[in-house]
Amino acid sequence: MMIQSLMVGLALWSSMLDEPAIDSQSESAVSRLVRWSASEPIIGEVSDVNTQGVIIKRVDEVIPVHVPWYDVHSLDGDRKLTDKKQQLAQDAWRAHARLVRGDYAGAETIYAQLEDAYLWKIGKQSADVSLGLVRCRLNRQDRVRAVMPFLSLLMSQPSEALFGQQAMDGFDSQYRLLIGLPPVFGAFEHTRSMPSMPELDSISTRQRVLGGYYALAMNASIHRTSEAQDELDQLAVLMRGRDNRDSGLEFVADMVIAQAHTDADKRLAARLGLERKIRSNPDTWIELWARLALGVSLIADDETLSNERGAIELIHVVVRLDQINPPLAILASQIANEYFVRTQRAPWGSALILESQNGRSNN
């Protein structure tokens, strides 16, 4: 009897030892993540805290949630944030919140501090920094410095996230382009150069081709030279094959070829393509882009008749299409003004600039 009682007691004691160990491990793995975007916290196990945010798996769920830093309010429990990570979360949230409420100057100050760490990375936090820089720079009409964050944005998230059902405002899902950033620049922008894209395997051929076209459109000093033709030929090689072509790239290619190619026949073919875009897409951002590119292309010709036709294309943008994108109407008026000043008709250019600015103030 004594032996049996002893065995039963040992068994009970053993089971009591096992249970608290499991409970202790379970409790130690639980963290509480509070987000800015939701009233209910996420309770679960944190698997990673990295540069993009916090990865946490809810209790009784299999798939973890990746919460970007701009949405992290606090993290308590098993995994707590270091002072450095807490500061990062605060900075990311402040930049995001200011962008949402339209404080572009305040948001850009913070986003600029995050730029080196987050551009050309994959993740939601990188997407927010890239988008923030694009929005802030376009708001003050700094198209030159908006190009790189735009290209970075394209690699930060899968295409379906950027151009799917919840596509970001200002992006066209068919062309996969940012409506406010055409490959057309005024003379006041040509003195600035675009930084080179980094050599990363994660950067797609499409992004590199887009970057090449934007850089060439910006560099008017080599337009219609053998150097520009060589660059266009190299970009055309990269675009070979079905996987490397799409409607957005082909549209951009026509716009830049019309401006920069040294061969008049190539420029004419590109212009005809842009004119087809105008006829098939009236009163849209596509017509606006096409007329911008046609205007710049024709104004650069040697014939006065072509120059005048180019000015008319730009006037279309200011007078008819200004409500589609008011800043681009201002860009069209600035380019037309450069031409009118050059041809001793400065009052015409001034009137056109005033028209575009009044149009923006009325929107």
Side-chain angles (χ1 to χ4, degrees), residues 345-363:
R345 290 174 290 178
W348 294 22
S350 299
L352 202 58
I353 287 179
L354 184 61
E355 173 74 19
S356 67
Q357 291 172 339
N358 288 340
R360 187 180 189 186
S361 64
N362 293 331
N363 286 310

Side-chain angles (χ1 to χ4, degrees), residues 33-38 67-74 89 92-93 125:
L33 176 62
V34 180
R35 293 169 293 168
W36 291 101
S37 64
V67 182
W69 284 118
Y70 67 81
D71 200 19
V72 174
H73 178 278
S74 61
W93 168 72
Q125 184 57 49

Side-chain angles (χ1 to χ4, degrees), residues 184-203:
V184 175
F185 299 91
F188 57 95
E189 298 169 305
H190 290 157
T191 57
R192 304 173 61 190
S193 59
M194 193 175 80
S196 300
M197 296 178 70
E199 292 297 328
L200 299 172
D201 292 338
S202 51
I203 297 178

Side-chain angles (χ1 to χ4, degrees), residues 30-314:
V30 173
S31 296
R32 181 174 182 269
L33 176 62
V34 180
R35 293 169 293 168
W36 291 101
S37 64
S39 57
E40 291 293 324
I42 299 177
I43 309 297
E45 181 180 356
V46 174
S47 60
D48 194 17
V49 177
N50 57 38
T51 56
Q52 295 297 324
V54 178
I55 300 177
I56 183 169
K57 183 170 70 68
R58 287 187 175 92
V59 175
D60 300 328
E61 290 191 8
V62 177
I63 300 175
V65 179
H66 198 158
V67 182
W69 284 118
Y70 67 81
D71 200 19
V72 174
H73 178 278
S74 61
L75 180 65
D76 301 313
D78 179 62
R79 296 286 291 270
K80 294 185 178 181
L81 299 179
T82 63
D83 291 343
K84 187 176 181 180
K85 292 296 187 186
Q86 188 65 57
Q87 185 62 52
L88 172 60
Q90 284 290 318
D91 291 342
W93 168 72
R94 285 169 53 234
H96 180 84
R98 290 181 181 187
L99 181 72
V100 170
R101 68 171 182 258
D103 178 9
Y104 294 102
E108 186 175 7
T109 298
I110 305 172
Y111 278 129
Q113 297 170 2
L114 301 172
E115 182 173 2
D116 290 342
Y118 283 97
L119 250 60
W120 310 112
K121 305 291 193 308
I122 297 172
K124 291 182 179 179
Q125 184 57 49
S126 284
D128 185 72
V129 173
S130 297
L131 177 63
L133 288 168
V134 169
R135 294 281 192 231
C136 293
R137 289 168 182 176
L138 286 183
N139 179 69
R140 56 184 177 81
Q141 299 190 53
D142 187 350
R143 281 168 289 271
V144 173
R145 294 189 64 214
V147 173
M148 281 301 174
F150 167 59
L151 297 175
S152 171
L153 178 64
L154 294 180
M155 69 166 284
S156 64
Q157 291 282 278
S159 294
E160 56 269 20
L162 292 174
F163 305 105
Q165 293 182 347
Q166 297 180 336
M168 298 177 186
D169 181 46
F171 290 82
D172 186 273
S173 58
Q174 178 185 351
Y175 284 79
R176 292 193 289 162
L177 294 171
L178 179 59
I179 293 171
L181 193 57
V184 175
F185 299 91
F188 57 95
E189 298 169 305
H190 290 157
T191 57
R192 304 173 61 190
S193 59
M194 193 175 80
S196 300
M197 296 178 70
E199 292 297 328
L200 299 172
D201 292 338
S202 51
I203 297 178
S204 68
T205 299
R206 184 180 193 273
Q207 290 162 295
R208 293 202 177 280
V209 171
L210 271 178
Y213 280 127
Y214 274 109
L216 182 54
M218 219 175 284
N219 190 5
S221 64
I222 67 168
H223 285 187
R224 306 191 182 189
T225 67
S226 58
E227 184 179 350
Q229 182 170 334
D230 289 343
E231 291 191 19
L232 287 168
D233 289 344
Q234 292 173 19
L235 292 170
V237 170
L238 290 175
M239 285 179 64
R240 286 176 184 169
R242 181 179 300 177
D243 294 339
N244 294 327
R245 299 184 70 88
D246 59 56
S247 54
L249 275 185
E250 291 175 353
F251 188 18
V252 168
D254 276 347
M255 292 178 70
V256 180
I257 290 170
Q259 298 174 68
H261 209 292
T262 188
D263 187 330
D265 290 336
K266 296 285 187 181
R267 294 199 303 273
L268 176 59
R271 288 172 182 172
L272 292 174
L274 295 174
E275 290 173 357
R276 288 192 293 270
K277 289 285 188 188
I278 291 171
R279 290 194 297 270
S280 58
N281 300 276
D283 302 316
T284 66
W285 71 269
I286 297 174
E287 179 187 356
L288 191 159
W289 275 36
R291 288 194 185 277
L292 265 178
L294 277 174
V296 173
S297 173
L298 290 164
I299 281 177
D301 281 354
D302 294 330
E303 297 83 13
T304 301
L305 181 59
S306 290
N307 301 159
E308 295 295 302
R309 285 181 53 209
I312 291 172
E313 297 290 352
L314 297 172

